[in-house]
Amino acid sequence: MGLLSDPNRRKALTNLLTRLNAPICMVCYLAAIVWFMGLAFEPFTLRTYMSENAMGSTMVEERFSSGERALSLAKEFDAHKRKAGGMPVEWLVKAMQARGLEVFTQSFSRKLPFPDENKERYMVRGTNVYGILRAPRAPRTEALVITAPCSPGNSDNQAVGLLLALAQYFRNQIFWAKDIIFLVNEHDLIGMQAWLEGYHHTNITGMEYSPLQGRAGSIQAALSLELSSDVITSLDLILEGLNGQLPNLDLANLFYAFCQKLGVLCTIQGKLQRNDWDTAEGYTHAAQTMMLMVLKQACGRSWGDHGLFLRYHIEAASIRGINGFRHYKMDVATIGRLLEGMVRKLNNLLERLHQSYFFYLLPSLSRFVSIGYYMPAFGLLAVILLLRALDLWVNLGAPALEAVDGVTEAEQPSGPGVLTVLTPVVISHLTGVALYLLPVHLQEMAVEHFPVSETEAVVLTAVAIYTAGLALPHNTQRLLSGEGTEQGWKVLKLTALLYLAVLLGCTALINFSLGFVLAVTLVPITASMTPHMPKALSALAMVLLSPAFTILYCVFIYQELIEAPVSVGEGWMLFLSVISQGILDHALYGSLVYPLLALFIYPCWLMFWNILFWS
Amino acid sequence: MAAHRCGLSVVCILIFSSLAHPSSCDTLEKANDNTATKRRISEVNTDGSVAGEDMNERQWQSTDVEVNRSDGTKNGETFAPAKDQFQEELVIRPLHSGDIYASFQFRTLWDTDFLQEGQKKVSHYRLFPKSLGQVLSKFSVQELHISFTQGFWRTMQWGQPFIPSPPGAELWVWFHDTVSDVDGNWKELTNVLSGIFCASLNFIDMTNTVQPSASFKPLGLGNATDHRFLRYATLPREIVCTENLTPWKKLLPCGSKAGLAVLMKSEKLFHSSFHSQAVHIRPICQDEQCTSKAWELRQTLNVVFDHYTSGQGKKEWSLFKMFSRTLTEACPLASSSKVYVDITDNPEGELFELSPATPLLSQAVVLGDRRTYSVYDLTRAETFGQLRSFNLLLRWKGDSGDMLRPLLHAERYVAGFGLQTGEIHTVIYNNHPYRAFPVLLMDSVPWYLQLYIHTLTVTSKSRDNKPSYIHYQPAKDRHRPHLLEMLIQLPPHSMTEVTVQFERALLKWTEYTPDPNHGFYVGSSVVSALVPSMVAMSTNFTQDQPLFSSFVPVKEESSYFVRVYTEPLLVNLPTPDFSMPYNVICLTCTVVAVGYGSFYNLLTRTFQVDEPSPPLAKRLANFIRRIRGVPLLA
């Protein structure tokens, strides 16, 4: 600090920073990318370990053996599901009651803002069925949840069968200290959202649901089960929840520990772990796994039924059975034993899971990158913005500093008027508001005038507004009183840089992946943007690095990483559906990525677009 | 010995004659076997002196029964002038859900009244436990109720219990109105009781003690209304286990050596769905004119056994299966020792089968319902049969039923998410088809949930329901809890919802428990009500009622008193991460050192414009000028 309070040394430092600004920024950017890619390199990561004492040392014995019963229940469930054409409520209630649970149902209905073409639903009406296993001698203060979805078609029958078989087995045990809720939810996430809102008596998304009759206190943890075949080759763990929230790492550790114990193949992001970290393939594999996690987390949607629990501070994960082409197959009883072990350990918990990390990236199930290791990668990117801002600030202040020597301090022009800066800011944000509001509200009008479906109308309106925003500089300039001055764009850019830095910083704190992905694409172009660059070339670069194109790249990279590459046309269709899903996720579950992009990131990008066309 | 036997046979005849009478307690006798009884009693009383004492007991009791029948006592209790008395009974109720409910009650009467003047010191104890007697006299206790419960009574499946209790420990005490320092007495009393019952009652302090104005009225003599002398506290977190059971059993005259108490083996009692043990002490009338008082000590123990976990598929119950013991004798000190089995739902034996069959039947009105019981009298040798052991066997035939709809039912939960605010919802159901009735709701909420009392709403049938009486005592941080009492009229067949919002306080770091991430408990709220009865309750206490039906005095025929406890709440408070204090200390120290240091530096330093030092020639010239005395160069 002595450095800054001494004017001479301060001057020297700022001189250095302004003189070497561009090279430093370049170095920072490259360092950030290298640092991030280095995170997947095994020697740089930490081995996962169980932090929670109550789950670590107390090994439990798994005795579940009614795999056959689970399968026959699954068949029965399937038959009744077909007959009922949806959730077989009566059968399920009877089946749970026969297993000695307290059974309750909850009906819900939800009208989507526009039809969901991926899942073909618009007016959703359904019923959740749940049974509570009351723990003996426990005062109904704590609970665990096991869920299985009632999905259309052939999927997830085995999950419900296993759920019922587990319920029957658990009911005969005496050692439960927490109530266990067995929930079968209809319409996947919508049903889950209705149940969770009912359980906590909140209404944040405008869902209509009947109030819950039975409760079991505060829920400590939840496991969601997805199982669609009688035998499986591996189990996949899904952690990414709404808004990029992750459950406590101990939950993943618990799953991994039991997979090791029972000899079950386990994957994360559908990728098996490799042992050859020192080869190029090994590293690429880990990097791909981590990149998949980053992309999934960045998109802020819930990747399984567990994702909605996280908002309520309930640690939750989804376990998905995968039947691939391998020789080694496992039956349902093994999965039952795995779940039994996990639930028993969770039952032993004395406190909520809090010991381990909440912010982490997983290059494999046995290795993790904690927040302390990945944050510098983002920090290096954010520093670029701040350095550029400093450079501009010094530039703007330079004439003022000279004026101190003279006597004309009072006559110094007070910079560009507030109006020159405020007008573009306000107009960009208004465009953002339009992008946020209009697509959903104008769908009826769009459907009337154009031969498109509602979903297409919404997405295309969004794309249209986004594109229309590019014409903004002309309109802004028309509103401005005079010519844009040299100082004007500098002040605007300074504002925009600081704004972007704060935005990205806040985003990265909540959802690192989203912040990082946005920073990687936005920082280089925004940092170097001036009105004096060749217009056509830099405009092209700016458009190619705009938020919408970031989404498009993410779609392609994601498809590449899950080994299902798509052509450009398919990619475009996927891009459109991602946009519609993003809007739907926001309306249905309160995902914040769409409003963040529409209301903040896009306007911020527009401000830079304005600078490019500053005249 | 021969003389004793002779005397005993006379006693037996007396007892049986009293039973054989068409007495008012609806006891039907179908068979009689005098000789068996005689044999059994003579076997029990091998020691002469004990037998003598026992004989006295029986004589008193038998004459007493006669007295009752002729003119009746006021409160239904049978009295032996200046004599203590002990009764024990076990009620077994096969529950609707297929579970089985066993309720033990032991009553000890102590004919002394040390609260009267001149009788301050009592040094002679016979049946009444000395430890409790001394506590009563030292702290001038008028009435004492303490319960330890592990588990939650599931009203929807099991109906109403005989004596309800909240999960954890509950203690309420009425002090005598001569006590000047009630709080001091209360504090000492809780510490003493903590020692007696081996429980953490010493955690009761002013932050969890309240003085309810209406919900807890004395159950015994004395119509004290000034709630300054009442203290009520619950410890919802208290875990009940064998170390609490052992001292409780020691209070019994026979300990766990004889009588019904032999069944209380902790490995079985705690292998159940619900376990509750309680001690109730109150003063009652000694005789019908109520000229002098007697102390009544009721010890109750309620257990619910789970037919799933213990039955292993077979729905079959026996005393041996439940308790891993059978009964071989009554407590020799007991004046009555009976086992009741509720057979109301099973008149034709279609639901379950009971063996051995009993000739004795009894009817009692309990909780607004007329119930029929099979009675096994343990003082009679024939109960024990050839094997000299009594093992009741109950074989289920029917299926377990759906959920019940008890007339009054309440539940509670915390709504909302996040760590800043929340809302407590209390839902009270009145399932009576056409009768409305008022209930008293009492809520005691710890101070660290800061209630926003202006958000209190009471709604029934989606309409505002204004409570006719509200008693609210706001909390004082770290000193006393919130107390909210309301009298709410419940419309027939309705659901009434009481909501109040709260904010979670940020505790000081020393105030967190060792496991702060577990959450903090809020005790059960209490709903007390006079519920309309389906059948006429008997207010006539001249009858010799079974113990389980005579605890709460009934004032009117048309309704009966019910108390319902809701589940306790577990609320998470904002909790700092205690696991990394080192990091926190390092970080804060760094921030303070760097930030504060430099700011302090900047703020306190005086800045001066540095005069550039003049060149050497000028300095030299000035030096010469100073010597010469001419003005210096600028």
Side-chain angles (χ1 to χ4, degrees), chain A residues 295 299 466 514 517-518 521 544-558 571 574-579 593-594 597:
Chain A
L295 288 178
C299 83
Y466 189 90
L514 183 60
V517 167
L518 285 174
T521 52
L544 285 181
L545 288 176
S546 75
F549 276 84
T550 310
I551 299 176
L552 189 65
Y553 303 145
C554 287
V555 168
F556 280 110
I557 296 172
Y558 178 74
L574 267 177
F575 169 69
L576 294 185
S577 91
V578 162
I579 293 175
V593 175
Y594 173 58
L597 287 180

Side-chain angles (χ1 to χ4, degrees), chain B residues 150-344:
Chain B
Q150 187 71 23
F152 183 73
W153 184 268
R154 307 172 194 169
T155 320
M156 295 291 271
Q157 285 169 311
W158 300 341
Q160 295 288 354
F162 293 123
I163 299 178
S165 57
E170 183 198 40
L171 173 65
W172 56 288
V173 176
W174 276 93
F175 290 94
H176 206 263
D177 53 12
T178 51
V179 178
S180 52
D181 179 17
V182 181
D183 285 335
N185 269 18
W186 168 249
K187 193 169 169 48
E188 268 187 70
L189 175 68
T190 52
N191 280 288
V192 168
L193 289 176
S194 167
I196 292 178
F197 290 104
C198 219
S200 15
L201 295 172
N202 50 325
F203 281 104
I204 293 177
D205 53 13
M206 290 333 282
T207 60
N208 51 17
T209 303
V210 290
Q211 303 168 33
S213 66
S215 292
F216 288 89
K217 289 287 157 207
L219 291 173
L221 276 182
N223 38 6
T225 47
D226 190 350
H227 62 270
R228 280 187 298 131
F229 298 102
L230 169 65
R231 290 293 179 277
Y232 173 88
T234 53
L235 294 173
R237 216 189 160 160
E238 181 72 12
I239 307 279
V240 184
C241 205
T242 45
E243 76 268 22
N244 307 109
L245 183 67
T246 312
W248 184 90
K249 280 197 292 199
K250 282 187 181 158
L251 300 177
L252 295 169
C254 291
S256 51
K257 298 281 189 298
L260 291 173
V262 296
L263 298 178
M264 293 176 188
K265 291 291 164 195
S266 41
E267 78 266 20
K268 282 292 180 184
L269 283 186
F270 291 103
H271 198 282
S272 57
S273 295
F274 176 84
H275 171 95
S276 169
Q277 61 190 62
V279 169
H280 302 273
I281 304 173
R282 57 177 177 176
I284 55 169
C285 286
Q286 205 165 30
D287 49 35
E288 62 270 27
Q289 278 84 37
C290 217
T291 48
S292 58
K293 286 198 273 182
W295 286 96
E296 182 200 62
L297 164 70
R298 270 189 203 242
Q299 287 178 257
T300 63
L301 189 140
N302 297 304
V303 200
V304 177
F305 292 100
D306 187 349
H307 73 104
Y308 270 94
T309 48
S310 347
Q312 267 94 43
K314 258 192 281 175
K315 291 183 166 187
E316 203 178 84
W317 285 108
S318 65
L319 283 187
F320 187 76
K321 228 172 191 174
M322 283 193 275
F323 303 105
S324 73
R325 292 286 183 286
T326 55
L327 288 170
T328 51
E329 55 175 345
C331 170
L333 300 172
S335 59
S336 97
S337 174
K338 284 175 181 159
V339 176
Y340 293 84
V341 180
D342 191 333
I343 53 163
T344 317

Side-chain angles (χ1 to χ4, degrees), chain A residues 108-128:
Chain A
F108 59 90
S109 68
R110 180 77 165 95
K111 185 171 168 262
L112 271 53
F114 56 89
D116 181 355
E117 289 192 342
N118 283 15
K119 293 191 171 142
E120 288 166 0
R121 56 189 181 189
Y122 182 47
M123 295 286 294
V124 179
R125 205 172 281 283
T127 314
N128 294 325

